[in-house]
Amino acid sequence: TTLKFKTRDNPHNPGWTPMKLYLRKHVYCLSMKRFGSEEKLADEKKERESQKYERFLIKTGDALSSSTKGLRADLNAHPEEVQSLGTADLEPDAKKKRGAKPMTESQKRKKVALGNLVSKSEATNPD
């Protein structure tokens, strides 16, 4: 069956395809005809969500499993071993900014060299 609808201009961009607005009571009546009850409708929604999640896992499964393999091993490590992973020597100001690009190797070397120069100058000029 076809549902009655009203067309309205798209509020985001009037040049786009007009919206179709369906009456809620008509949609509800059609869903009750199709599924029989609200419980069956809720079950269908849950089933579709699980299918959507499974499709997502299939699409991104390899990327997710490869990126979390080391993390799972690290979570089972002892606290002493976690420090050896390089997380203990992070500076508090080394937090990544949103959208910031990672530093290249040459940028890291320059930063270390500048840090060494600053520490040497502080040692020679104690104020």
Side-chain angles (χ1 to χ4, degrees):
T1 51
T2 58
L3 294 173
K4 294 180 182 179
F5 60 88
K6 296 178 181 181
T7 58
R8 296 283 185 259
D9 287 338
N10 195 317
H12 299 286
N13 187 345
W16 292 350
T17 306
M19 297 186 305
K20 292 181 178 180
L21 303 175
Y22 298 93
L23 289 175
R24 193 178 297 256
K25 63 182 177 181
H26 292 165
V27 174
Y28 180 79
C29 289
L30 183 63
S31 65
M32 288 302 111
K33 281 183 188 175
R34 181 167 179 188
F35 298 106
S37 67
E38 289 186 21
E39 291 81 20
K40 290 181 181 178
L41 177 63
D43 292 340
E44 181 67 20
K45 285 183 179 180
K46 287 179 185 177
E47 179 63 28
R48 289 184 185 188
E49 279 294 318
S50 66
Q51 289 173 354
K52 180 179 175 182
Y53 181 67
E54 288 172 7
R55 285 192 306 267
F56 171 77
L57 286 179
I58 289 170
K59 188 183 286 186
T60 60
D62 294 335
L64 288 174
S65 64
S66 64
S67 67
T68 58
K69 271 184 185 172
L71 180 62
R72 289 186 186 143
D74 295 344
L75 291 176
N76 295 329
H78 292 288
E80 298 84 23
E81 294 173 3
V82 173
Q83 288 183 352
S84 67
L85 295 174
T87 56
D89 59 344
L90 290 178
E91 301 171 2
D93 61 329
K95 295 178 184 175
K96 287 187 177 181
K97 294 180 182 176
R98 185 176 209 158
K101 294 180 183 177
M103 290 175 52
T104 62
E105 289 298 319
S106 62
Q107 290 172 333
K108 290 178 184 177
R109 286 192 296 269
K110 287 179 185 176
K111 185 175 180 180
V112 169
L114 288 174
N116 291 339
L117 289 175
V118 169
S119 62
K120 288 179 183 177
S121 67
E122 288 174 355
T124 56
N125 296 330
D127 287 334

